[in-house]
């Protein structure tokens, strides 16, 4: 067990790395832990970010790398470790990670969110063998092939647009009769020659032998495809703190713009907290606001 830190930052994506920059500037004694040097950030899953101020368009992987390098250049202490459990003991926190344990007076919890499963027959069986959740990571394997994208939000449309540059044909299967995604992106999808959309349809089963060969829709239609990308939403990665903090029904940590949670000293930043807009820019804002909350909390404890 390490000495008592002022702050432990769990997660090094947009929120965590911004928190690290602000924590360095505030002179806090802290450590940031991330499973994979921030490359597990959802930002790395998108090839084109075109709504982050200051960049007309930037590759997601390049952007998170810049965030990481910025924090590193300031000397932010960062370790590769997976946070498994955070417990509160008196006024401080015990943080259990895969490789180490830490104690801290405050925690900024910002582990983001991860893809949701569709829950159809064949999904688990073909996962990694034709069923994927990250178009940017796996799209390369479907060059000149036919793929299906399941979903109707921004992630599904972004994935379909990305895959349209690699694949012969991209079919989006959406269970509603219109998209939830931004209008601009939807229009781009509709204008793209090698894409098509099947509205008001749901997958019943993914079929194949060693790899995916087709999907069956609930209305009985069979669509041949070499791959299926599932983009039906995300779930918060709040597991490590769910025993000590209030969450909503979906598991998002309840916190406002100040990132204060129901547990004194524990701040939730980025996609893992309840909020209206889950984006890079709002996660960065949370990173900054949460450090402001941490310094005020530490001062209140000293006085
Ligand atoms: C496909 C896709 C496209 C997107 N496109 C855009 C876009 O164009 N513009 C935009 O603004 N937003 C976009 N977003 C949303 C944006 O990526 C998120 O809102 C933003 O990354 C949230 O930041 P965060 O810090 O909360 O989470 P993340 O950036 O996901 O960071 C969470 C970090 O926590 C780490 N972590 C997770 N669990 C643990 C653990 N137990 N222990 C230690 N570390 C852990 C992860 O490795 C990761 O580095 C997109 C998201 C996706 C999935």
């Amino acid at each position: 067990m390490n000495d008592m830190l002022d702050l432990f930052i769990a997660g090094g994506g947009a929120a965590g790395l911004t928190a690290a920059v602000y924590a360095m500037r505030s002179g806090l004694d802290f450590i940031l832990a991330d499973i994979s040097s921030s490359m597990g950030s959802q930002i790395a899953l998108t090839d084109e970010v075109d709504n982050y101020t200051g960049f007309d368009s930037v590759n997601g992987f390049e952007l998170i790398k810049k965030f990481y390098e910025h924090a590193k250049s300031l000397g932010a202490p960062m370790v590769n470790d997976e946070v498994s459990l955070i417990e509160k003991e008196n006024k401080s926190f015990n943080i259990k990670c895969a490789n180490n344990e830490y104690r801290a007076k405050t925690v900024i919890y910002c582990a983001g969110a991860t893809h949701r499963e569709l829950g159809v027959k064949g999904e688990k069986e073909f996962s990694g063998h034709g069923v994927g959740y990250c178009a940017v990571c796996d799209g390369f394997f479907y060059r000149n092939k036919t793929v299906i994208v399941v979903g109707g939000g921004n992630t599904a449309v972004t994935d379909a647009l990305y895959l349209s540059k690699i694949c012969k044909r991209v079919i989006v299967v959406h269970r509603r009769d219109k998209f939830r995604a931004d209008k601009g992106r939807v229009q781009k999808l509709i204008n793209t020659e090698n894409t098509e959309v099947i509205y008001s349809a749901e997958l019943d089963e993914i079929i194949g032998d060693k790899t995916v060969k087709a999907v069956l829709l609930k209305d009985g239609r069979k669509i041949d495809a070499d791959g299926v990308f599932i983009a039906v939403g995300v779930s918060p990665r709040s597991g490590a703190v769910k025993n000590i903090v209030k969450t909503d029904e979906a598991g998002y940590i309840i916190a406002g713009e100040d990132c204060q949670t129901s547990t004194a000293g524990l701040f939730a930043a980025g996609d893992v907290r309840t909020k209206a807009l889950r984006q890079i820019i709002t996660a960065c804002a949370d990173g900054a606001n949460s450090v402001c909350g941490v310094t005020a909390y530490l001062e209140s404890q000293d006085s």
Side-chain angles (χ1 to χ4, degrees):
M1 183 95 67
N2 290 276
D3 292 339
M4 182 71 76
L5 298 160
D6 290 330
L7 166 66
F8 183 88
I9 302 175
L17 290 170
T18 307
V21 168
Y22 277 74
M24 282 307 290
R25 299 248 163 189
S26 304
L28 295 174
D29 176 23
F30 76 97
I31 279 180
L32 179 153
D34 190 284
I35 305 171
S36 60
S37 297
S38 309
M39 296 313 154
S41 163
Q42 295 161 90
I43 305 175
L45 302 181
T46 182
D47 70 326
E48 212 178 302
V49 176
D50 54 14
N51 55 2
Y52 187 70
T53 316
F55 294 86
D56 294 343
S57 180
V58 58
N59 173 270
F61 190 80
E62 290 304 319
L63 184 62
I64 191 69
K65 207 164 132 223
K66 274 188 188 296
F67 286 7
Y68 178 78
E69 282 163 2
H70 183 188
K72 204 166 171 213
S73 72
L74 296 174
M78 300 190 272
V79 294
N80 276 8
D81 214 341
E82 180 169 2
V83 179
S84 50
L85 186 67
I86 301 183
E87 291 169 320
K88 190 156 190 197
E89 193 183 318
N90 301 320
K91 284 190 169 179
S92 61
F93 295 90
N94 293 335
I95 301 112
K96 292 195 174 103
C97 297
N99 303 322
N100 216 332
E101 286 190 24
Y102 299 91
R103 283 190 311 146
K105 294 176 196 165
T106 62
V107 170
I108 296 176
Y109 192 82
C110 43
T114 189
H115 66 78
R116 202 179 286 156
E117 290 180 2
L118 190 60
V120 296
K121 205 168 160 204
E123 179 178 6
K124 280 204 162 58
E125 187 186 342
F126 293 110
S127 180
H129 302 280
V131 172
Y133 299 87
C134 173
V136 176
C137 320
D138 301 334
F140 171 80
F141 300 111
Y142 299 91
R143 187 165 295 281
N144 296 323
K145 295 189 171 177
T146 298
V147 296
I148 287 171
V149 175
V150 186
N154 277 323
T155 305
V157 175
T158 307
D159 284 359
L161 285 169
Y162 176 77
L163 291 164
S164 71
K165 295 180 216 153
I166 302 169
C167 304
K168 187 172 73 186
R169 193 168 162 228
V170 180
I171 305 161
V172 180
V173 176
H174 181 32
R175 69 190 166 115
R176 299 191 198 283
D177 60 359
K178 49 173 159 330
F179 282 100
R180 272 179 293 112
D182 302 339
K183 279 190 185 144
R185 278 189 221 208
V186 173
Q187 200 50 51
K188 212 166 159 186
L189 178 75
I190 289 163
N191 293 344
T192 303
E193 232 174 64
N194 60 339
T195 66
E196 62 190 270
V197 182
I198 303 178
Y199 293 98
S200 308
E202 285 184 59
L203 256 65
D204 193 33
E205 188 179 347
I206 300 166
I207 53 177
D209 40 51
K210 281 185 184 139
T211 60
V212 167
K213 296 281 179 234
V215 302
L216 298 178
L217 300 184
K218 281 190 177 161
D219 60 15
R221 275 182 286 176
K222 180 176 170 225
I223 303 166
D224 292 336
D226 305 289
V228 179
F229 285 89
I230 294 170
V232 292
V234 291
S235 305
R237 286 165 139 173
S238 54
V241 286
K242 70 171 194 280
N243 292 336
I244 58 164
V245 75
K246 280 191 186 150
T247 62
D248 69 5
E249 273 178 14
Y252 289 98
I253 300 170
I254 296 172
E257 293 301 304
D258 59 5
C259 301
Q260 303 254 11
T261 69
S262 57
T263 304
L266 174 63
F267 295 78
D271 281 13
V272 78
R273 80 165 173 90
T274 48
K275 58 159 73 180
L277 181 66
R278 293 194 172 84
Q279 289 279 274
I280 301 165
I281 205 146
T282 59
C284 291
D286 282 3
N289 278 326
S290 55
V291 172
C292 183
V294 164
T295 46
Y297 174 80
L298 290 173
E299 277 165 24
S300 74
Q301 298 299 297
D302 286 346
S303 57

